[in-house]
Amino acid sequence: MSRPSSTGPSASKPCSKPPPPQHAPSPAAPPAAATISAAGPGSAAVPAAAAVISGPGGGGGGGGGGGGAGPVSPQHHELTSLFECPVCFDYVLPPILQCQAGHLVCNQCRQKLSCCPTCRGALTPSIRNLAMEKVASAVLFPCKYATTGCSLTLHHTEKPEHEDICEYRPYSCPCPGASCKWQGSLEAVMSHLMHAHKSITTLQGEDIVFLATDINLPGAVDWVMMQSCFGHHFMLVLEKQEKYEGHQQFFAIVLLIGTRKQAENFAYRLELNGNRRRLTWEATPRSIHDGVAAAILNSDCLVFDTAIAHLFADNGNLGINVTISTCCP
């Protein structure tokens, strides 16, 4: 589904730009507030107009099943080096195919080649190297992110799954949508957001109001803002998606600009309040390593449809109270 604009709280403003932070009328110390204009995606449904839903939240670790950690011996390194692909320098893992002269190349690179990169001989017909496959099954291979800090060695069958969730893999831009392809270290994420996504509003404090404007815009839309408290930055995302034809849904979630381990130290609460109704979601924030899509896929976020959104909206604008708290060790 196409999006009306790139991500960001006011990246294709359907109306006036966000007003400055405001205060909700309350006798107690009021939370900060910001108006967020629509930008880009979101989906799942909460049936009741007044319900309290609690969830564990959070993301999984980056373990590797039967693998190990620790220094690799020179002999082990010499053995695994025999499996290095001469094109991409990743490991050639089963099923292992060779050229007619016995040279190896990984399956991903083989599909792009017309001849052997080592001897320029023919790659067809396909010849399995069963002996090397048996050796590969007895060897533990380093994670592909070993150079950035991962010390795990894994059986070749466990390697792809671990690398998909490895804590040492590069971080992608956490903004929803597919327009930004940036990747880098965790330390560089905030710098990237400040320079490439300047339209994102940041509010200080553990208790704020996230005000999304023009929620009736058609199509897939996102609203994004940042919240800074407890020495960390959190990304607040509201997405509207049409997950099922003719049925639009909203998804609201908080992500920590940090690791999964750091996210476990916090909890967040999202609350819709108005017209003598209240809808609340409490959970552990996800790390930006997990991303918004994984939370939506698992419905691990505040989910409600357009009918519920209209119960709490005021002239097409929806305010969500966001509270971040620390968890006791």
Side-chain angles (χ1 to χ4, degrees), residues 6-7 170-184 192 196-197:
S6 62
T7 55
Y171 283 76
S172 299
C173 176
C175 289
S179 59
C180 184
K181 304 297 184 182
W182 178 89
Q183 286 193 327
H192 164 73
H197 303 279

PDB file of all heavy atoms in Angstrom, residues 6-7 170-184 192 196-197:
ATOM      1  N   SER A   6       7.064  10.378   3.225  1.00  0.00           N
ATOM      2  CA  SER A   6       8.110   9.732   3.997  1.00  0.00           C
ATOM      3  C   SER A   6       7.771   9.833   5.472  1.00  0.00           C
ATOM      4  O   SER A   6       6.916  10.585   5.869  1.00  0.00           O
ATOM      5  CB  SER A   6       9.460  10.407   3.736  1.00  0.00           C
ATOM      6  OG  SER A   6       9.389  11.746   4.148  1.00  0.00           O
ATOM      7  N   THR A   7       8.491   9.036   6.295  1.00  0.00           N
ATOM      8  CA  THR A   7       8.171   9.017   7.709  1.00  0.00           C
ATOM      9  C   THR A   7       8.631  10.280   8.401  1.00  0.00           C
ATOM     10  O   THR A   7       9.516  10.977   7.954  1.00  0.00           O
ATOM     11  CB  THR A   7       8.822   7.815   8.384  1.00  0.00           C
ATOM     12  OG1 THR A   7      10.204   7.862   8.117  1.00  0.00           O
ATOM     13  CG2 THR A   7       8.244   6.517   7.888  1.00  0.00           C
ATOM     14  N   PRO A 170      24.067  -4.489  12.420  1.00  0.00           N
ATOM     15  CA  PRO A 170      23.850  -3.044  12.303  1.00  0.00           C
ATOM     16  C   PRO A 170      22.402  -2.674  12.621  1.00  0.00           C
ATOM     17  O   PRO A 170      21.478  -3.463  12.395  1.00  0.00           O
ATOM     18  CB  PRO A 170      24.181  -2.758  10.831  1.00  0.00           C
ATOM     19  CG  PRO A 170      25.019  -3.898  10.392  1.00  0.00           C
ATOM     20  CD  PRO A 170      24.552  -5.085  11.172  1.00  0.00           C
ATOM     21  N   TYR A 171      22.205  -1.471  13.155  1.00  0.00           N
ATOM     22  CA  TYR A 171      20.868  -0.949  13.397  1.00  0.00           C
ATOM     23  C   TYR A 171      20.361  -0.272  12.129  1.00  0.00           C
ATOM     24  O   TYR A 171      21.114   0.435  11.451  1.00  0.00           O
ATOM     25  CB  TYR A 171      20.881   0.064  14.545  1.00  0.00           C
ATOM     26  CG  TYR A 171      20.963  -0.567  15.916  1.00  0.00           C
ATOM     27  CD1 TYR A 171      22.158  -1.090  16.394  1.00  0.00           C
ATOM     28  CD2 TYR A 171      19.845  -0.637  16.735  1.00  0.00           C
ATOM     29  CE1 TYR A 171      22.240  -1.675  17.652  1.00  0.00           C
ATOM     30  CE2 TYR A 171      19.909  -1.213  17.998  1.00  0.00           C
ATOM     31  CZ  TYR A 171      21.110  -1.729  18.452  1.00  0.00           C
ATOM     32  OH  TYR A 171      21.175  -2.314  19.687  1.00  0.00           O
ATOM     33  N   SER A 172      19.097  -0.489  11.812  1.00  0.00           N
ATOM     34  CA  SER A 172      18.466   0.206  10.698  1.00  0.00           C
ATOM     35  C   SER A 172      17.776   1.455  11.227  1.00  0.00           C
ATOM     36  O   SER A 172      17.517   1.578  12.428  1.00  0.00           O
ATOM     37  CB  SER A 172      17.438  -0.705  10.014  1.00  0.00           C
ATOM     38  OG  SER A 172      18.057  -1.858   9.495  1.00  0.00           O
ATOM     39  N   CYS A 173      17.463   2.368  10.335  1.00  0.00           N
ATOM     40  CA  CYS A 173      16.709   3.556  10.735  1.00  0.00           C
ATOM     41  C   CYS A 173      15.384   3.116  11.339  1.00  0.00           C
ATOM     42  O   CYS A 173      14.645   2.344  10.716  1.00  0.00           O
ATOM     43  CB  CYS A 173      16.468   4.464   9.539  1.00  0.00           C
ATOM     44  SG  CYS A 173      15.427   5.906   9.937  1.00  0.00           S
ATOM     45  N   PRO A 174      15.058   3.570  12.557  1.00  0.00           N
ATOM     46  CA  PRO A 174      13.832   3.108  13.217  1.00  0.00           C
ATOM     47  C   PRO A 174      12.552   3.754  12.713  1.00  0.00           C
ATOM     48  O   PRO A 174      11.462   3.333  13.107  1.00  0.00           O
ATOM     49  CB  PRO A 174      14.077   3.478  14.684  1.00  0.00           C
ATOM     50  CG  PRO A 174      14.973   4.673  14.630  1.00  0.00           C
ATOM     51  CD  PRO A 174      15.856   4.462  13.431  1.00  0.00           C
ATOM     52  N   CYS A 175      12.651   4.768  11.855  1.00  0.00           N
ATOM     53  CA  CYS A 175      11.440   5.418  11.363  1.00  0.00           C
ATOM     54  C   CYS A 175      10.616   4.447  10.521  1.00  0.00           C
ATOM     55  O   CYS A 175      11.173   3.715   9.704  1.00  0.00           O
ATOM     56  CB  CYS A 175      11.799   6.638  10.520  1.00  0.00           C
ATOM     57  SG  CYS A 175      12.453   8.002  11.490  1.00  0.00           S
ATOM     58  N   PRO A 176       9.295   4.435  10.708  1.00  0.00           N
ATOM     59  CA  PRO A 176       8.452   3.532   9.921  1.00  0.00           C
ATOM     60  C   PRO A 176       8.551   3.846   8.434  1.00  0.00           C
ATOM     61  O   PRO A 176       8.890   4.946   8.027  1.00  0.00           O
ATOM     62  CB  PRO A 176       7.042   3.814  10.442  1.00  0.00           C
ATOM     63  CG  PRO A 176       7.231   4.464  11.771  1.00  0.00           C
ATOM     64  CD  PRO A 176       8.511   5.225  11.670  1.00  0.00           C
ATOM     65  N   GLY A 177       8.215   2.850   7.623  1.00  0.00           N
ATOM     66  CA  GLY A 177       8.274   3.032   6.176  1.00  0.00           C
ATOM     67  C   GLY A 177       9.577   2.505   5.617  1.00  0.00           C
ATOM     68  O   GLY A 177      10.509   2.167   6.336  1.00  0.00           O
ATOM     69  N   ALA A 178       9.650   2.433   4.306  1.00  0.00           N
ATOM     70  CA  ALA A 178      10.818   1.843   3.648  1.00  0.00           C
ATOM     71  C   ALA A 178      11.664   2.876   2.917  1.00  0.00           C
ATOM     72  O   ALA A 178      12.550   2.518   2.161  1.00  0.00           O
ATOM     73  CB  ALA A 178      10.350   0.763   2.667  1.00  0.00           C
ATOM     74  N   SER A 179      11.403   4.167   3.146  1.00  0.00           N
ATOM     75  CA  SER A 179      12.093   5.190   2.356  1.00  0.00           C
ATOM     76  C   SER A 179      13.532   5.407   2.797  1.00  0.00           C
ATOM     77  O   SER A 179      14.386   5.771   2.001  1.00  0.00           O
ATOM     78  CB  SER A 179      11.321   6.508   2.423  1.00  0.00           C
ATOM     79  OG  SER A 179      11.201   6.930   3.768  1.00  0.00           O
ATOM     80  N   CYS A 180      13.841   5.199   4.089  1.00  0.00           N
ATOM     81  CA  CYS A 180      15.198   5.443   4.590  1.00  0.00           C
ATOM     82  C   CYS A 180      15.942   4.121   4.730  1.00  0.00           C
ATOM     83  O   CYS A 180      15.513   3.230   5.467  1.00  0.00           O
ATOM     84  CB  CYS A 180      15.151   6.161   5.944  1.00  0.00           C
ATOM     85  SG  CYS A 180      16.798   6.595   6.579  1.00  0.00           S
ATOM     86  N   LYS A 181      17.061   3.989   4.045  1.00  0.00           N
ATOM     87  CA  LYS A 181      17.822   2.743   4.033  1.00  0.00           C
ATOM     88  C   LYS A 181      19.057   2.813   4.927  1.00  0.00           C
ATOM     89  O   LYS A 181      19.921   1.942   4.874  1.00  0.00           O
ATOM     90  CB  LYS A 181      18.273   2.416   2.600  1.00  0.00           C
ATOM     91  CG  LYS A 181      17.137   2.327   1.590  1.00  0.00           C
ATOM     92  CD  LYS A 181      16.181   1.206   1.934  1.00  0.00           C
ATOM     93  CE  LYS A 181      15.108   1.067   0.854  1.00  0.00           C
ATOM     94  NZ  LYS A 181      14.132   0.011   1.190  1.00  0.00           N
ATOM     95  N   TRP A 182      19.144   3.824   5.793  1.00  0.00           N
ATOM     96  CA  TRP A 182      20.336   3.998   6.627  1.00  0.00           C
ATOM     97  C   TRP A 182      20.542   2.813   7.551  1.00  0.00           C
ATOM     98  O   TRP A 182      19.599   2.230   8.091  1.00  0.00           O
ATOM     99  CB  TRP A 182      20.196   5.269   7.457  1.00  0.00           C
ATOM    100  CG  TRP A 182      21.346   5.519   8.388  1.00  0.00           C
ATOM    101  CD1 TRP A 182      22.503   6.208   8.111  1.00  0.00           C
ATOM    102  CD2 TRP A 182      21.462   5.088   9.758  1.00  0.00           C
ATOM    103  NE1 TRP A 182      23.312   6.223   9.209  1.00  0.00           N
ATOM    104  CE2 TRP A 182      22.712   5.542  10.237  1.00  0.00           C
ATOM    105  CE3 TRP A 182      20.641   4.347  10.613  1.00  0.00           C
ATOM    106  CZ2 TRP A 182      23.151   5.292  11.533  1.00  0.00           C
ATOM    107  CZ3 TRP A 182      21.070   4.081  11.903  1.00  0.00           C
ATOM    108  CH2 TRP A 182      22.315   4.554  12.354  1.00  0.00           C
ATOM    109  N   GLN A 183      21.814   2.448   7.757  1.00  0.00           N
ATOM    110  CA  GLN A 183      22.215   1.457   8.750  1.00  0.00           C
ATOM    111  C   GLN A 183      23.480   1.946   9.433  1.00  0.00           C
ATOM    112  O   GLN A 183      24.313   2.621   8.817  1.00  0.00           O
ATOM    113  CB  GLN A 183      22.473   0.085   8.119  1.00  0.00           C
ATOM    114  CG  GLN A 183      21.215  -0.667   7.716  1.00  0.00           C
ATOM    115  CD  GLN A 183      21.515  -2.123   7.386  1.00  0.00           C
ATOM    116  OE1 GLN A 183      22.586  -2.456   6.885  1.00  0.00           O
ATOM    117  NE2 GLN A 183      20.554  -3.006   7.645  1.00  0.00           N
ATOM    118  N   GLY A 184      23.638   1.615  10.713  1.00  0.00           N
ATOM    119  CA  GLY A 184      24.825   2.031  11.441  1.00  0.00           C
ATOM    120  C   GLY A 184      24.806   1.496  12.855  1.00  0.00           C
ATOM    121  O   GLY A 184      23.975   0.660  13.218  1.00  0.00           O
ATOM    122  N   HIS A 192      21.756  10.279  13.370  1.00  0.00           N
ATOM    123  CA  HIS A 192      21.074  10.118  12.086  1.00  0.00           C
ATOM    124  C   HIS A 192      19.678  10.730  12.130  1.00  0.00           C
ATOM    125  O   HIS A 192      19.262  11.450  11.201  1.00  0.00           O
ATOM    126  CB  HIS A 192      20.972   8.628  11.734  1.00  0.00           C
ATOM    127  CG  HIS A 192      19.973   8.337  10.657  1.00  0.00           C
ATOM    128  ND1 HIS A 192      20.187   8.658   9.327  1.00  0.00           N
ATOM    129  CD2 HIS A 192      18.720   7.787  10.716  1.00  0.00           C
ATOM    130  CE1 HIS A 192      19.123   8.315   8.610  1.00  0.00           C
ATOM    131  NE2 HIS A 192      18.224   7.786   9.428  1.00  0.00           N
ATOM    132  N   ALA A 196      18.773  13.567   9.532  1.00  0.00           N
ATOM    133  CA  ALA A 196      18.000  13.112   8.367  1.00  0.00           C
ATOM    134  C   ALA A 196      16.495  13.204   8.579  1.00  0.00           C
ATOM    135  O   ALA A 196      15.740  13.194   7.612  1.00  0.00           O
ATOM    136  CB  ALA A 196      18.392  11.671   8.020  1.00  0.00           C
ATOM    137  N   HIS A 197      16.052  13.283   9.834  1.00  0.00           N
ATOM    138  CA  HIS A 197      14.614  13.328  10.120  1.00  0.00           C
ATOM    139  C   HIS A 197      14.340  14.474  11.102  1.00  0.00           C
ATOM    140  O   HIS A 197      13.815  14.277  12.194  1.00  0.00           O
ATOM    141  CB  HIS A 197      14.146  11.991  10.704  1.00  0.00           C
ATOM    142  CG  HIS A 197      14.445  10.812   9.818  1.00  0.00           C
ATOM    143  ND1 HIS A 197      13.658  10.461   8.746  1.00  0.00           N
ATOM    144  CD2 HIS A 197      15.461   9.910   9.846  1.00  0.00           C
ATOM    145  CE1 HIS A 197      14.157   9.389   8.150  1.00  0.00           C
ATOM    146  NE2 HIS A 197      15.261   9.042   8.804  1.00  0.00           N
TER     147      HIS A 197
END
